[in-house]
């Protein structure tokens, strides 16, 4: 039994969710360049809706990336501040895996090539196999998360289905899977509800980390993360 707040600002979407023992409340908005203004009021609103305080949570989760450099910094910084102030552990969750979970729920397909548009002719990509036993979903990484030009991705033996904005390069990516028969949904974006669902499982598996380990995953080598001093006090 756990109560977990999750946030995501890794793409133009901005979302906050509260997972209370598997029951999920979510606020999801398409809000390009508005994350800084929206994220904390959205957190306050969803906690108020559930009549909970930060101190009553078990952990805070966030979309650790890959995704927008600025968006990832916002999410990590907000989570650091909230978790530090309330003395809570943090659960970083892959945005690519969160999209896979949503796609699996929607289509019940097992193999997914999850991709986000990384600009500059590149994609953030990961390959996954999904299994479900007794309503518990497990996502196994078959292709390590990376940033790469779509034409440089190796050809796969498995029939991957596609999810995420990186499938704007559909014509190229479909040549990487057998028979070009993959189902593709470019409209699924990372969202806090699915980050929270994965975090719920990770929490039970003791995979939460301290606030000092709550770092984003940029994937691009030239971008480094320098943790800023924590400035958000107790709420």
């Amino acid at each position: 039994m756990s109560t977990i707040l999750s946030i995501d600002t890794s793409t133009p979407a901005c979302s906050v969710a509260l997972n209370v023992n598997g029951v999920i409340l979510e606020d999801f908005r398409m809000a390009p360049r508005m994350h800084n203004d929206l994220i904390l009021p959205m957190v306050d609103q969803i906690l108020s809706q559930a009549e909970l305080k930060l101190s009553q949570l078990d952990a805070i989760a966030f979309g650790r990336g890959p995704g927008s450099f600025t968006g990832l910094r916002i999410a990590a910084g907000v989570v650091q501040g909230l978790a530090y102030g309330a003395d809570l552990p943090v659960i970083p969750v892959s945005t690519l895996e969160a999209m896979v979970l949503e796609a699996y729920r929607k289509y019940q397909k097992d193999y997914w090539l999850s991709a986000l548009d990384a600009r500059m002719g590149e994609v953030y990509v990961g390959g996954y196999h999904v299994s479900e036993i007794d309503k518990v979903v497990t996502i196994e990484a078959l292709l390590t998360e990376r940033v790469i030009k779509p034409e440089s991705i190796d050809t796969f033996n498995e029939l991957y289905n596609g999810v995420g904005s990186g499938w704007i390069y559909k014509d190229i990516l479909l040549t990487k899977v057998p028979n070009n028969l993959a189902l593709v949904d470019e409209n699924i974006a990372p969202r806090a509800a699915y980050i929270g669902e994965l975090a719920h499982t990770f929490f039970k598996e003791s995979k939460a980390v301290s606030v000092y380990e709550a770092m984003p995953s940029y994937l691009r080598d030239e971008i480094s993360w320098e943790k800023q001093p924590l400035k958000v006090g107790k709420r």
Side-chain angles (χ1 to χ4, degrees), residues 2 11 26 29 38 42 49 66-67 77 89 101 113-114 118 122 125 128 154 201-202 206 217 220 226:
S2 58
T11 69
E26 185 189 33
R29 310 181 194 182
L38 291 176
M42 289 169 68
Q49 183 180 348
L101 178 58
L113 193 64
S114 184
E122 295 181 325
V125 66
Y128 305 91
D154 293 335
T201 299
F202 295 160
S206 300
S217 174
R220 283 199 166 103
E226 294 183 1

Side-chain angles (χ1 to χ4, degrees), residues 1-4 19-23 56-59 91 199-205:
M1 298 293 184
S2 58
T3 302
I4 297 174
N19 188 316
V20 183
N21 301 323
V23 178
Q56 294 174 282
L57 302 177
D58 292 300
I91 307 172
H200 188 72
T201 299
F202 295 160
F203 185 79
K204 289 191 293 184
E205 296 172 348

Side-chain angles (χ1 to χ4, degrees), residues 154-226:
D154 293 335
T155 300
F156 303 105
N157 294 323
E158 297 87 356
L159 177 55
Y160 279 91
N161 303 281
V163 60
S165 62
W167 281 83
I168 58 170
Y169 299 103
K170 184 190 305 184
D171 290 346
I172 298 172
L173 293 175
L174 283 177
T175 66
K176 306 297 182 177
V177 296
N179 303 317
N180 293 354
L181 294 177
L183 176 155
V184 175
D185 190 332
E186 300 174 36
N187 297 315
I188 289 177
R191 58 190 301 162
Y194 294 97
I195 287 167
E197 186 174 344
L198 289 171
H200 188 72
T201 299
F202 295 160
F203 185 79
K204 289 191 293 184
E205 296 172 348
S206 300
K207 293 182 179 178
V209 301
S210 77
V211 63
Y212 303 104
E213 299 174 89
M215 297 185 188
S217 174
Y218 296 115
L219 296 187
R220 283 199 166 103
D221 292 338
E222 68 271 20
I223 296 175
S224 62
W225 166 253
E226 294 183 1

Side-chain angles (χ1 to χ4, degrees), residues 84-203:
Y84 181 80
D87 193 23
L88 294 171
V90 176
I91 307 172
V93 176
S94 165
T95 51
L96 297 178
E97 287 191 29
M99 292 194 299
V100 166
L101 178 58
E102 181 176 357
Y104 173 77
R105 295 285 190 217
K106 187 174 181 179
Y107 299 108
Q108 294 296 302
K109 301 290 186 180
D110 296 338
Y111 287 93
W112 291 93
L113 193 64
S114 184
L116 284 170
D117 183 9
R119 310 297 181 185
M120 297 184 287
E122 295 181 325
V123 292
Y124 300 117
V125 66
Y128 305 91
H129 176 254
V130 185
S131 58
E132 184 173 6
I133 300 175
D134 295 331
K135 297 184 179 180
V136 177
V137 172
T138 300
I139 300 177
E140 177 189 7
L142 302 180
L143 172 67
T144 303
E145 294 179 3
R146 65 195 66 184
V147 58
I148 193 171
K149 291 188 178 298
E151 58 269 22
S152 299
I153 297 174
D154 293 335
T155 300
F156 303 105
N157 294 323
E158 297 87 356
L159 177 55
Y160 279 91
N161 303 281
V163 60
S165 62
W167 281 83
I168 58 170
Y169 299 103
K170 184 190 305 184
D171 290 346
I172 298 172
L173 293 175
L174 283 177
T175 66
K176 306 297 182 177
V177 296
N179 303 317
N180 293 354
L181 294 177
L183 176 155
V184 175
D185 190 332
E186 300 174 36
N187 297 315
I188 289 177
R191 58 190 301 162
Y194 294 97
I195 287 167
E197 186 174 344
L198 289 171
H200 188 72
T201 299
F202 295 160
F203 185 79

